[in-house]
Amino acid sequence: MNDASPIPNDLDSFWMPFTSSRAFKAAPRLVSGAKGLYYTTVDGREVFDGTGGLWCSNAGHGHPRIIEAIQKQAAEMDFAHCFGQGHPIAFQAASRMVALAPGFDHVFFTNSGSESVDTALKIALGYHSARGEGQRRILVGRQKAYHGINFGGLSVGGIGLNKGQFGTLYPSAQHLRHTNLAENRMSKGQPETGAHLAEDLAMICETHGGHNVAAVIVEPVAGAGGVFPPPKGYLERLREICDQHGILLIFDEVITGFGRMGTPFASQHFGVKPDIFTAAKGMTNATVPMGGVFTTAKVREAFRSGPEALPDLFHGYTYSGHPLASAAAIATLDVYRDEGIFENAAKMAPIWEEMLHSFADVPDVIDIRNMGLIGAMEIDPNSSRTAPELAKKAWDIGLSFRPIGNNFAMSPPLTIDEEHIGKVKDMLTKVLR
């Protein structure tokens, strides 16, 4: 046995997430290093990280300031829980977080986007119960939506393949139609048509009673389901219907949070304020798992009406506010601020958009969608080429992107510049033309 080998001898022990184990073993993609915008494979090749980790390494890989903060915190205090006790750095991290989101006064820390979504849904249900409206149990999601893989997130999510193995989930989930309309193909940024689809929420209220609906959750820009920017006026109309019926509006900002739209959060980019929003991924630049649920003071205060001796919320995780994650989060926010990461994302977004849409004439490409530093191309399902095959070809020439059905998505680190975008264009040209 050679334990020093960088290449594992056994590719079966690790049950990999969202992976065909047989396909992976037949052609394993293994990386052993990451720096800046590139991975290094076990055989020494550089691969441009076109997915920013997995929508999460916003400041690039291996940032020295974040690494140093994690190392320092591990030496001082590796762990302390926050059940009835606390540690200063978790409170410091929370203060820094809410400062990025004016109007949101509190954050409940989790360990992932999936946990953030389930926490947000429970907070929504608990909020109505605390206010004497416990009959509000309907949770509304959307077709093609991805809200993680826990039971609540799967229930309101709208990707059938993710649900198929697990049977009935939350029984009171309803779904809006998706907003991916054929007439909007090749739109740059927000499509013109589709705001009328928000009326699906009004129909659910009419059918089931708006007084029975607890919350509606949407991604401001749908990401992992295929990248679907919101039609103009769509989010605004959802906000209006929620206000009319006393429904909480939840934005799932796990992907869009921390600069991907050029603003700290997508709600600020679109000018639509939810009551609750979720975050994760870019919160620590993906170095230590961490997520969060941000709430307004109105939502938070509803939980302070019970007996003083009891917990405000009967919910939590062993690692909520983990010291290493808190240290990583603070350092990450410092990097975002001091290096102008969000500003760079805003500056690069139109250049990124033009690069993507330069492939609109490729016969097999039937749609291109983009928003901020996110993009997706849809391959004709009748084409002899498939998104997974294109992903393999791209990997072989040094570019990583994420195949999603017959789409492939890209979300590069927010430190990308014009030269990098040019290199991505050159590699995509080799893959697509």
Side-chain angles (χ1 to χ4, degrees):
M1 179 183 295
N2 180 10
D3 290 336
S5 172
I7 302 175
N9 293 321
D10 179 5
L11 295 181
D12 193 52
S13 299
F14 174 30
W15 194 338
M16 299 172 67
F18 279 108
T19 300
S20 165
S21 59
R22 287 165 288 186
F24 180 82
K25 289 182 75 171
R29 299 177 189 174
L30 294 169
V31 295
S32 58
K35 192 69 177 178
L37 286 85
Y38 291 87
Y39 283 119
T40 301
T41 66
V42 292
D43 56 354
R45 293 191 309 113
E46 276 197 337
V47 175
F48 184 88
D49 182 10
T51 57
L54 199 59
W55 324 82
C56 54
S57 300
N58 293 3
H61 296 282
H63 198 288
R65 291 177 65 182
I66 303 172
I67 293 171
E68 181 182 3
I70 296 169
Q71 292 173 332
K72 180 181 177 182
Q73 183 58 49
E76 291 179 356
M77 182 176 67
D78 57 350
F79 176 68
H81 68 79
C82 292
F83 285 30
Q85 66 176 49
H87 49 84
I89 196 167
F91 290 94
Q92 293 166 15
S95 295
R96 292 289 302 277
M97 289 293 165
V98 298
L100 276 183
F104 294 87
D105 305 281
H106 308 276
V107 58
F108 189 104
F109 284 129
T110 69
N111 306 291
S112 68
S114 294
E115 288 184 1
S116 293
V117 167
D118 275 32
T119 299
L121 297 175
K122 290 176 73 175
I123 287 174
L125 294 171
Y127 166 81
H128 291 297
S129 292
R131 298 175 69 251
E133 293 190 275
Q135 84 285 351
R136 290 185 181 264
R137 284 291 179 262
I138 296 173
L139 299 172
V140 181
R142 186 168 56 182
Q143 294 175 339
K144 293 186 180 293
Y146 181 80
H147 296 297
I149 44 72
N150 290 351
F151 268 71
L154 272 183
S155 298
V156 294
I159 301 175
L161 286 175
N162 289 359
K163 302 184 182 193
Q165 293 176 312
F166 310 113
T168 302
L169 298 165
Y170 183 75
S172 298
Q174 298 288 324
H175 291 81
L176 313 173
R177 285 174 292 175
H178 65 75
T179 61
N180 185 31
L181 301 177
E183 54 264 42
N184 288 328
R185 285 182 173 173
M186 299 298 177
S187 294
K188 293 182 177 180
Q190 287 188 267
E192 297 290 336
T193 304
H196 66 282
L197 292 168
E199 300 304 324
D200 285 5
L201 180 58
M203 289 297 295
I204 289 172
C205 291
E206 182 177 334
T207 302
H208 299 282
H211 64 287
N212 292 318
V213 180
V216 57
I217 182 170
V218 295
E219 303 155 277
V221 179
V227 180
F228 308 115
K232 292 179 180 178
Y234 176 83
L235 297 176
E236 291 86 345
R237 182 58 183 143
L238 285 182
R239 178 71 273 178
E240 291 173 357
I241 298 170
C242 286
D243 289 342
Q244 179 183 351
H245 293 279
I247 299 166
L248 293 179
L249 178 60
I250 304 172
F251 277 2
D252 185 346
E253 294 235 27
V254 170
I255 284 175
T256 53
F258 299 101
R260 196 148 290 280
M261 296 295 107
T263 52
F265 300 102
S267 61
Q268 296 156 337
H269 176 85
F270 293 114
V272 178
K273 183 182 176 183
D275 302 289
I276 299 170
F277 72 88
T278 64
K281 293 189 183 292
M283 184 174 280
T284 65
N285 203 45
T287 54
V288 180
M290 192 180 208
V293 178
F294 292 69
T295 75
T296 60
K298 176 184 175 181
V299 171
R300 177 69 180 91
E301 288 306 312
F303 290 87
R304 287 177 167 151
S305 59
E308 186 174 335
L310 291 179
D312 300 346
L313 179 67
F314 284 84
H315 173 79
Y317 303 100
T318 300
Y319 302 122
S320 292
H322 193 289
L324 300 191
S326 298
I330 292 170
T332 296
L333 295 186
D334 288 344
V335 169
Y336 290 159
R337 177 198 62 207
D338 297 345
E339 299 185 10
I341 301 293
F342 300 169
E343 293 81 359
N344 185 68
K347 180 180 178 182
M348 291 297 111
I351 301 169
W352 175 255
E353 176 180 86
E354 289 304 314
M355 183 277 290
L356 292 172
H357 284 272
S358 70
F359 294 94
D361 62 338
V362 174
D364 290 342
V365 176
I366 60 173
D367 194 14
I368 297 172
R369 301 179 292 274
N370 69 280
M371 198 79 212
L373 282 184
I374 308 176
M377 296 188 188
E378 185 173 347
I379 306 302
D380 188 337
N382 298 314
S383 169
S384 60
R385 301 192 291 180
T386 68
E389 289 170 350
L390 294 173
K392 182 182 183 305
K393 184 176 179 181
W395 178 269
D396 290 341
I397 64 169
L399 173 64
S400 172
F401 56 66
R402 174 79 172 145
I404 304 170
N406 61 320
N407 304 272
F408 64 83
M410 292 183 288
S411 52
L414 307 185
T415 53
I416 196 169
D417 60 22
E418 287 192 62
E419 182 180 353
H420 292 129
I421 293 174
K423 290 180 179 179
V424 171
K425 181 177 181 179
D426 291 343
M427 287 186 282
L428 283 175
T429 299
K430 295 177 182 178
V431 170
L432 293 170
R433 295 191 184 275

